[in-house]
Amino acid sequence: MSSAEHIAEEDRAPDGARPASRLRQLAAASVGNAVEWYDWYAYSFLAVYFAEQVFPKGTGDSMVPLLSSFAVFAVGFFMRPIGGLLMGAIADRRGRRAALTLTILLMGGGSLLVAVTPSYAATGLLAPVVLVIARLVQGLSVGGEFAASTTFLVESAGPGRRGLFSSFQYVSTTIGQLLASGTAALLAALLSERQMGEWGWRVAFLVGALLSLVGLWVRRGAQETRSEVDRTAARPGLFEALRRYPRQSLLICGITAGGTIAYYTWTTYLPTFAQVNAGFDKGDSLTVGTLSLVFFALLQPLGGLLSDRIGRKPLLLGFALGFAVLAVPLLHLVTDAFLSLLLVQCAGMVLLTGYTAVAAAVNAEVFPARVRAAGIGFPYSLTVALFGGTAPYVGTWFKQAGHADLFPWYVAVLCLVSFCVYLTLPETSRQKLDN
């Protein structure tokens, strides 16, 4: 076989389909993933509006409802490792499509439950209980979503394009976040703050539940990427990846720690950080968040393409070192001026791309196909739960305790830890992926 014929043979899509089907695979993963993350992120953008509806105020302390809502945000993250393990196991046993279908159904159901959460004034403790249950369901879903969609995207890529396909994990995540941020900003512009607090926030969650049905329909056209050999082989055990690949599991934790704290600080918590630390206007902070997310989404494919050319490791090292050095001065530059927050957020997005554009590819290249989804899902989601999901709560708690200046150092130290891990990584961009 000639080299050209060999490349053409390798470049076939899963199950022998032609390369043109890769675009359909990309669309199926991206549209569904965008819907998933719209539902997930709507919570964080709207927490400042529904907190007092669902949680009682502490005596003389207006921060209690917001802290409570961010605590529930963190609780949802602690379901993510379970979701990563269970949905990852389904993806490894039954196929990536089966897991992707189940995750989007769970997310839509959780979003609908948030939309109909009663107020504390009307039902007392039932209100926060319903919200916690909804968030637990969404956490289970999104933990499995990353595991299944990461493996699906990277396994759908052609030779020399895993970085590019990997970048669409965060392109679609950011589109979902943009939809959530944009919807919140639009509602805030059209409605008064009183209307937003009473019922306006519910509209965004109802929209999310409807969008989940759209994502489910799109995913029906996806092709399975798990090979026929794997599908007919003995199914992997639930904890097989942890048992047989403990080093790789720990490696996923180290890869993720700095990335997740930087990601959730810059894309989710920064508008609230600006509100509580610099007196930034709520509506304006949502607008800044939306503009910076557009910029971030445009950067992702460029980062993915660059990693296919020069490798994953240089981008990871640049990201981690950049945040270790610049996180503190950047967060100290945040004021109540619109341009100040926009520049800080966009500067962080440039650095963050070094991680987000390649994270899916790097994670997928660590494990063999047989246990890839579960192998990624559990350690990744556990690390995100510990450091990413708690970022808004930790940042708000530092402010309440009178030590707001410590939070930027917390971000910098975690990024420095990941920098040390990246130094030990082998370069995998040129290696053939085990499918």
PDB file of all heavy atoms in Angstrom, residues 163-194:
ATOM      1  N   GLY A 163      -6.244  17.770  17.820  1.00  0.00           N
ATOM      2  CA  GLY A 163      -6.243  19.038  18.540  1.00  0.00           C
ATOM      3  C   GLY A 163      -7.389  19.933  18.091  1.00  0.00           C
ATOM      4  O   GLY A 163      -8.073  20.542  18.910  1.00  0.00           O
ATOM      5  N   LEU A 164      -7.596  20.015  16.770  1.00  0.00           N
ATOM      6  CA  LEU A 164      -8.689  20.836  16.241  1.00  0.00           C
ATOM      7  C   LEU A 164     -10.031  20.331  16.743  1.00  0.00           C
ATOM      8  O   LEU A 164     -10.864  21.109  17.224  1.00  0.00           O
ATOM      9  CB  LEU A 164      -8.658  20.823  14.712  1.00  0.00           C
ATOM     10  CG  LEU A 164      -9.812  21.555  14.012  1.00  0.00           C
ATOM     11  CD1 LEU A 164      -9.822  23.034  14.375  1.00  0.00           C
ATOM     12  CD2 LEU A 164      -9.718  21.379  12.503  1.00  0.00           C
ATOM     13  N   PHE A 165     -10.269  19.024  16.627  1.00  0.00           N
ATOM     14  CA  PHE A 165     -11.541  18.464  17.103  1.00  0.00           C
ATOM     15  C   PHE A 165     -11.676  18.638  18.615  1.00  0.00           C
ATOM     16  O   PHE A 165     -12.771  18.907  19.118  1.00  0.00           O
ATOM     17  CB  PHE A 165     -11.646  16.985  16.708  1.00  0.00           C
ATOM     18  CG  PHE A 165     -12.291  16.768  15.370  1.00  0.00           C
ATOM     19  CD1 PHE A 165     -11.784  17.376  14.229  1.00  0.00           C
ATOM     20  CD2 PHE A 165     -13.402  15.953  15.243  1.00  0.00           C
ATOM     21  CE1 PHE A 165     -12.364  17.183  12.997  1.00  0.00           C
ATOM     22  CE2 PHE A 165     -13.997  15.756  14.007  1.00  0.00           C
ATOM     23  CZ  PHE A 165     -13.482  16.368  12.874  1.00  0.00           C
ATOM     24  N   SER A 166     -10.555  18.472  19.320  1.00  0.00           N
ATOM     25  CA  SER A 166     -10.563  18.665  20.767  1.00  0.00           C
ATOM     26  C   SER A 166     -11.042  20.061  21.140  1.00  0.00           C
ATOM     27  O   SER A 166     -11.788  20.248  22.110  1.00  0.00           O
ATOM     28  CB  SER A 166      -9.149  18.442  21.309  1.00  0.00           C
ATOM     29  OG  SER A 166      -9.024  18.887  22.641  1.00  0.00           O
ATOM     30  N   SER A 167     -10.625  21.059  20.371  1.00  0.00           N
ATOM     31  CA  SER A 167     -10.974  22.443  20.699  1.00  0.00           C
ATOM     32  C   SER A 167     -12.474  22.690  20.669  1.00  0.00           C
ATOM     33  O   SER A 167     -12.982  23.593  21.343  1.00  0.00           O
ATOM     34  CB  SER A 167     -10.268  23.407  19.741  1.00  0.00           C
ATOM     35  OG  SER A 167     -10.821  23.342  18.433  1.00  0.00           O
ATOM     36  N   PHE A 168     -13.210  21.873  19.902  1.00  0.00           N
ATOM     37  CA  PHE A 168     -14.652  22.077  19.816  1.00  0.00           C
ATOM     38  C   PHE A 168     -15.385  21.635  21.077  1.00  0.00           C
ATOM     39  O   PHE A 168     -16.568  21.954  21.248  1.00  0.00           O
ATOM     40  CB  PHE A 168     -15.218  21.388  18.571  1.00  0.00           C
ATOM     41  CG  PHE A 168     -15.081  22.224  17.342  1.00  0.00           C
ATOM     42  CD1 PHE A 168     -13.907  22.191  16.598  1.00  0.00           C
ATOM     43  CD2 PHE A 168     -16.082  23.082  16.946  1.00  0.00           C
ATOM     44  CE1 PHE A 168     -13.756  22.977  15.469  1.00  0.00           C
ATOM     45  CE2 PHE A 168     -15.944  23.884  15.829  1.00  0.00           C
ATOM     46  CZ  PHE A 168     -14.776  23.831  15.082  1.00  0.00           C
ATOM     47  N   GLN A 169     -14.696  20.933  21.965  1.00  0.00           N
ATOM     48  CA  GLN A 169     -15.276  20.658  23.279  1.00  0.00           C
ATOM     49  C   GLN A 169     -15.578  21.979  23.979  1.00  0.00           C
ATOM     50  O   GLN A 169     -16.661  22.182  24.540  1.00  0.00           O
ATOM     51  CB  GLN A 169     -14.307  19.826  24.117  1.00  0.00           C
ATOM     52  CG  GLN A 169     -14.761  19.564  25.537  1.00  0.00           C
ATOM     53  CD  GLN A 169     -15.880  18.558  25.610  1.00  0.00           C
ATOM     54  OE1 GLN A 169     -15.979  17.673  24.785  1.00  0.00           O
ATOM     55  NE2 GLN A 169     -16.740  18.689  26.604  1.00  0.00           N
ATOM     56  N   TYR A 170     -14.607  22.896  23.929  1.00  0.00           N
ATOM     57  CA  TYR A 170     -14.804  24.184  24.597  1.00  0.00           C
ATOM     58  C   TYR A 170     -15.432  25.227  23.683  1.00  0.00           C
ATOM     59  O   TYR A 170     -15.978  26.213  24.174  1.00  0.00           O
ATOM     60  CB  TYR A 170     -13.487  24.681  25.191  1.00  0.00           C
ATOM     61  CG  TYR A 170     -13.192  24.042  26.529  1.00  0.00           C
ATOM     62  CD1 TYR A 170     -12.426  22.892  26.621  1.00  0.00           C
ATOM     63  CD2 TYR A 170     -13.715  24.577  27.702  1.00  0.00           C
ATOM     64  CE1 TYR A 170     -12.179  22.289  27.843  1.00  0.00           C
ATOM     65  CE2 TYR A 170     -13.471  23.991  28.933  1.00  0.00           C
ATOM     66  CZ  TYR A 170     -12.709  22.844  28.999  1.00  0.00           C
ATOM     67  OH  TYR A 170     -12.471  22.251  30.216  1.00  0.00           O
ATOM     68  N   VAL A 171     -15.380  25.032  22.368  1.00  0.00           N
ATOM     69  CA  VAL A 171     -16.169  25.901  21.483  1.00  0.00           C
ATOM     70  C   VAL A 171     -17.640  25.721  21.811  1.00  0.00           C
ATOM     71  O   VAL A 171     -18.381  26.689  22.034  1.00  0.00           O
ATOM     72  CB  VAL A 171     -15.914  25.578  19.996  1.00  0.00           C
ATOM     73  CG1 VAL A 171     -16.927  26.308  19.105  1.00  0.00           C
ATOM     74  CG2 VAL A 171     -14.502  25.978  19.586  1.00  0.00           C
ATOM     75  N   SER A 172     -18.089  24.457  21.848  1.00  0.00           N
ATOM     76  CA  SER A 172     -19.498  24.190  22.112  1.00  0.00           C
ATOM     77  C   SER A 172     -19.864  24.516  23.561  1.00  0.00           C
ATOM     78  O   SER A 172     -20.958  25.036  23.832  1.00  0.00           O
ATOM     79  CB  SER A 172     -19.840  22.735  21.787  1.00  0.00           C
ATOM     80  OG  SER A 172     -18.992  21.839  22.473  1.00  0.00           O
ATOM     81  N   THR A 173     -18.946  24.230  24.493  1.00  0.00           N
ATOM     82  CA  THR A 173     -19.185  24.612  25.887  1.00  0.00           C
ATOM     83  C   THR A 173     -19.376  26.117  26.000  1.00  0.00           C
ATOM     84  O   THR A 173     -20.284  26.607  26.688  1.00  0.00           O
ATOM     85  CB  THR A 173     -18.003  24.174  26.768  1.00  0.00           C
ATOM     86  OG1 THR A 173     -17.907  22.750  26.743  1.00  0.00           O
ATOM     87  CG2 THR A 173     -18.177  24.640  28.203  1.00  0.00           C
ATOM     88  N   THR A 174     -18.527  26.866  25.295  1.00  0.00           N
ATOM     89  CA  THR A 174     -18.596  28.324  25.343  1.00  0.00           C
ATOM     90  C   THR A 174     -19.845  28.845  24.655  1.00  0.00           C
ATOM     91  O   THR A 174     -20.451  29.833  25.103  1.00  0.00           O
ATOM     92  CB  THR A 174     -17.336  28.937  24.703  1.00  0.00           C
ATOM     93  OG1 THR A 174     -16.180  28.401  25.345  1.00  0.00           O
ATOM     94  CG2 THR A 174     -17.340  30.451  24.841  1.00  0.00           C
ATOM     95  N   ILE A 175     -20.258  28.196  23.564  1.00  0.00           N
ATOM     96  CA  ILE A 175     -21.508  28.598  22.918  1.00  0.00           C
ATOM     97  C   ILE A 175     -22.676  28.417  23.882  1.00  0.00           C
ATOM     98  O   ILE A 175     -23.558  29.286  23.991  1.00  0.00           O
ATOM     99  CB  ILE A 175     -21.727  27.795  21.622  1.00  0.00           C
ATOM    100  CG1 ILE A 175     -20.729  28.253  20.547  1.00  0.00           C
ATOM    101  CG2 ILE A 175     -23.164  27.965  21.108  1.00  0.00           C
ATOM    102  CD1 ILE A 175     -20.747  27.409  19.296  1.00  0.00           C
ATOM    103  N   GLY A 176     -22.679  27.291  24.607  1.00  0.00           N
ATOM    104  CA  GLY A 176     -23.716  27.090  25.609  1.00  0.00           C
ATOM    105  C   GLY A 176     -23.661  28.148  26.690  1.00  0.00           C
ATOM    106  O   GLY A 176     -24.697  28.675  27.130  1.00  0.00           O
ATOM    107  N   GLN A 177     -22.449  28.471  27.125  1.00  0.00           N
ATOM    108  CA  GLN A 177     -22.276  29.507  28.141  1.00  0.00           C
ATOM    109  C   GLN A 177     -22.694  30.876  27.596  1.00  0.00           C
ATOM    110  O   GLN A 177     -23.294  31.688  28.313  1.00  0.00           O
ATOM    111  CB  GLN A 177     -20.821  29.527  28.582  1.00  0.00           C
ATOM    112  CG  GLN A 177     -20.581  30.229  29.894  1.00  0.00           C
ATOM    113  CD  GLN A 177     -19.180  29.992  30.414  1.00  0.00           C
ATOM    114  OE1 GLN A 177     -18.416  29.258  29.814  1.00  0.00           O
ATOM    115  NE2 GLN A 177     -18.839  30.596  31.527  1.00  0.00           N
ATOM    116  N   LEU A 178     -22.374  31.120  26.319  1.00  0.00           N
ATOM    117  CA  LEU A 178     -22.800  32.366  25.674  1.00  0.00           C
ATOM    118  C   LEU A 178     -24.311  32.486  25.627  1.00  0.00           C
ATOM    119  O   LEU A 178     -24.876  33.549  25.889  1.00  0.00           O
ATOM    120  CB  LEU A 178     -22.242  32.433  24.246  1.00  0.00           C
ATOM    121  CG  LEU A 178     -20.872  33.066  24.050  1.00  0.00           C
ATOM    122  CD1 LEU A 178     -20.400  32.840  22.624  1.00  0.00           C
ATOM    123  CD2 LEU A 178     -20.954  34.561  24.362  1.00  0.00           C
ATOM    124  N   LEU A 179     -24.954  31.388  25.262  1.00  0.00           N
ATOM    125  CA  LEU A 179     -26.411  31.390  25.238  1.00  0.00           C
ATOM    126  C   LEU A 179     -26.980  31.689  26.615  1.00  0.00           C
ATOM    127  O   LEU A 179     -27.940  32.449  26.765  1.00  0.00           O
ATOM    128  CB  LEU A 179     -26.936  30.044  24.722  1.00  0.00           C
ATOM    129  CG  LEU A 179     -26.730  29.747  23.236  1.00  0.00           C
ATOM    130  CD1 LEU A 179     -27.130  28.303  22.926  1.00  0.00           C
ATOM    131  CD2 LEU A 179     -27.550  30.711  22.383  1.00  0.00           C
ATOM    132  N   ALA A 180     -26.367  31.094  27.634  1.00  0.00           N
ATOM    133  CA  ALA A 180     -26.830  31.335  29.000  1.00  0.00           C
ATOM    134  C   ALA A 180     -26.577  32.781  29.426  1.00  0.00           C
ATOM    135  O   ALA A 180     -27.461  33.456  29.965  1.00  0.00           O
ATOM    136  CB  ALA A 180     -26.139  30.371  29.958  1.00  0.00           C
ATOM    137  N   SER A 181     -25.344  33.255  29.166  1.00  0.00           N
ATOM    138  CA  SER A 181     -25.001  34.622  29.519  1.00  0.00           C
ATOM    139  C   SER A 181     -25.834  35.633  28.723  1.00  0.00           C
ATOM    140  O   SER A 181     -26.350  36.618  29.265  1.00  0.00           O
ATOM    141  CB  SER A 181     -23.511  34.863  29.262  1.00  0.00           C
ATOM    142  OG  SER A 181     -23.161  36.202  29.469  1.00  0.00           O
ATOM    143  N   GLY A 182     -25.958  35.374  27.408  1.00  0.00           N
ATOM    144  CA  GLY A 182     -26.743  36.267  26.565  1.00  0.00           C
ATOM    145  C   GLY A 182     -28.206  36.298  26.946  1.00  0.00           C
ATOM    146  O   GLY A 182     -28.842  37.361  26.952  1.00  0.00           O
ATOM    147  N   THR A 183     -28.759  35.137  27.277  1.00  0.00           N
ATOM    148  CA  THR A 183     -30.161  35.079  27.707  1.00  0.00           C
ATOM    149  C   THR A 183     -30.351  35.841  29.009  1.00  0.00           C
ATOM    150  O   THR A 183     -31.316  36.601  29.166  1.00  0.00           O
ATOM    151  CB  THR A 183     -30.605  33.609  27.887  1.00  0.00           C
ATOM    152  OG1 THR A 183     -30.457  32.917  26.649  1.00  0.00           O
ATOM    153  CG2 THR A 183     -32.054  33.528  28.349  1.00  0.00           C
ATOM    154  N   ALA A 184     -29.413  35.646  29.948  1.00  0.00           N
ATOM    155  CA  ALA A 184     -29.494  36.365  31.218  1.00  0.00           C
ATOM    156  C   ALA A 184     -29.374  37.874  31.000  1.00  0.00           C
ATOM    157  O   ALA A 184     -30.107  38.664  31.601  1.00  0.00           O
ATOM    158  CB  ALA A 184     -28.400  35.878  32.160  1.00  0.00           C
ATOM    159  N   ALA A 185     -28.432  38.289  30.131  1.00  0.00           N
ATOM    160  CA  ALA A 185     -28.250  39.717  29.851  1.00  0.00           C
ATOM    161  C   ALA A 185     -29.482  40.308  29.179  1.00  0.00           C
ATOM    162  O   ALA A 185     -29.906  41.431  29.494  1.00  0.00           O
ATOM    163  CB  ALA A 185     -27.016  39.917  28.972  1.00  0.00           C
ATOM    164  N   LEU A 186     -30.074  39.559  28.242  1.00  0.00           N
ATOM    165  CA  LEU A 186     -31.276  40.038  27.545  1.00  0.00           C
ATOM    166  C   LEU A 186     -32.443  40.184  28.518  1.00  0.00           C
ATOM    167  O   LEU A 186     -33.154  41.192  28.506  1.00  0.00           O
ATOM    168  CB  LEU A 186     -31.643  39.065  26.424  1.00  0.00           C
ATOM    169  CG  LEU A 186     -32.889  39.416  25.593  1.00  0.00           C
ATOM    170  CD1 LEU A 186     -32.693  40.746  24.872  1.00  0.00           C
ATOM    171  CD2 LEU A 186     -33.192  38.302  24.597  1.00  0.00           C
ATOM    172  N   LEU A 187     -32.628  39.191  29.365  1.00  0.00           N
ATOM    173  CA  LEU A 187     -33.712  39.270  30.350  1.00  0.00           C
ATOM    174  C   LEU A 187     -33.488  40.444  31.313  1.00  0.00           C
ATOM    175  O   LEU A 187     -34.434  41.160  31.659  1.00  0.00           O
ATOM    176  CB  LEU A 187     -33.801  37.958  31.131  1.00  0.00           C
ATOM    177  CG  LEU A 187     -34.357  36.758  30.372  1.00  0.00           C
ATOM    178  CD1 LEU A 187     -34.159  35.470  31.173  1.00  0.00           C
ATOM    179  CD2 LEU A 187     -35.849  36.955  30.062  1.00  0.00           C
ATOM    180  N   ALA A 188     -32.224  40.641  31.723  1.00  0.00           N
ATOM    181  CA  ALA A 188     -31.910  41.748  32.631  1.00  0.00           C
ATOM    182  C   ALA A 188     -32.165  43.099  31.980  1.00  0.00           C
ATOM    183  O   ALA A 188     -32.547  44.061  32.654  1.00  0.00           O
ATOM    184  CB  ALA A 188     -30.452  41.654  33.082  1.00  0.00           C
ATOM    185  N   ALA A 189     -31.960  43.168  30.649  1.00  0.00           N
ATOM    186  CA  ALA A 189     -32.193  44.422  29.930  1.00  0.00           C
ATOM    187  C   ALA A 189     -33.681  44.693  29.725  1.00  0.00           C
ATOM    188  O   ALA A 189     -34.121  45.848  29.748  1.00  0.00           O
ATOM    189  CB  ALA A 189     -31.482  44.382  28.579  1.00  0.00           C
ATOM    190  N   LEU A 190     -34.462  43.634  29.524  1.00  0.00           N
ATOM    191  CA  LEU A 190     -35.888  43.793  29.223  1.00  0.00           C
ATOM    192  C   LEU A 190     -36.754  43.915  30.469  1.00  0.00           C
ATOM    193  O   LEU A 190     -37.835  44.513  30.416  1.00  0.00           O
ATOM    194  CB  LEU A 190     -36.379  42.608  28.383  1.00  0.00           C
ATOM    195  CG  LEU A 190     -35.783  42.470  26.980  1.00  0.00           C
ATOM    196  CD1 LEU A 190     -36.297  41.202  26.311  1.00  0.00           C
ATOM    197  CD2 LEU A 190     -36.113  43.695  26.131  1.00  0.00           C
ATOM    198  N   LEU A 191     -36.298  43.330  31.577  1.00  0.00           N
ATOM    199  CA  LEU A 191     -37.104  43.283  32.785  1.00  0.00           C
ATOM    200  C   LEU A 191     -36.468  44.124  33.887  1.00  0.00           C
ATOM    201  O   LEU A 191     -35.263  44.358  33.890  1.00  0.00           O
ATOM    202  CB  LEU A 191     -37.247  41.838  33.273  1.00  0.00           C
ATOM    203  CG  LEU A 191     -37.851  40.830  32.280  1.00  0.00           C
ATOM    204  CD1 LEU A 191     -37.813  39.417  32.873  1.00  0.00           C
ATOM    205  CD2 LEU A 191     -39.279  41.210  31.901  1.00  0.00           C
ATOM    206  N   SER A 192     -37.281  44.551  34.818  1.00  0.00           N
ATOM    207  CA  SER A 192     -36.753  45.254  35.980  1.00  0.00           C
ATOM    208  C   SER A 192     -36.081  44.243  36.903  1.00  0.00           C
ATOM    209  O   SER A 192     -36.301  43.036  36.797  1.00  0.00           O
ATOM    210  CB  SER A 192     -37.892  45.956  36.733  1.00  0.00           C
ATOM    211  OG  SER A 192     -38.769  44.995  37.301  1.00  0.00           O
ATOM    212  N   GLU A 193     -35.285  44.747  37.837  1.00  0.00           N
ATOM    213  CA  GLU A 193     -34.609  43.829  38.755  1.00  0.00           C
ATOM    214  C   GLU A 193     -35.628  43.073  39.614  1.00  0.00           C
ATOM    215  O   GLU A 193     -35.425  41.900  39.945  1.00  0.00           O
ATOM    216  CB  GLU A 193     -33.626  44.603  39.645  1.00  0.00           C
ATOM    217  CG  GLU A 193     -32.760  43.689  40.492  1.00  0.00           C
ATOM    218  CD  GLU A 193     -31.442  44.337  40.907  1.00  0.00           C
ATOM    219  OE1 GLU A 193     -31.005  45.296  40.242  1.00  0.00           O
ATOM    220  OE2 GLU A 193     -30.863  43.872  41.886  1.00  0.00           O
ATOM    221  N   ARG A 194     -36.723  43.724  39.928  1.00  0.00           N
ATOM    222  CA  ARG A 194     -37.773  43.052  40.703  1.00  0.00           C
ATOM    223  C   ARG A 194     -38.395  41.921  39.903  1.00  0.00           C
ATOM    224  O   ARG A 194     -38.619  40.821  40.432  1.00  0.00           O
ATOM    225  CB  ARG A 194     -38.834  44.068  41.119  1.00  0.00           C
ATOM    226  CG  ARG A 194     -39.969  43.456  41.939  1.00  0.00           C
ATOM    227  CD  ARG A 194     -40.978  44.495  42.345  1.00  0.00           C
ATOM    228  NE  ARG A 194     -42.084  43.887  43.063  1.00  0.00           N
ATOM    229  CZ  ARG A 194     -43.145  44.567  43.518  1.00  0.00           C
ATOM    230  NH1 ARG A 194     -43.214  45.884  43.327  1.00  0.00           N
ATOM    231  NH2 ARG A 194     -44.108  43.933  44.164  1.00  0.00           N
TER     232      ARG A 194
END
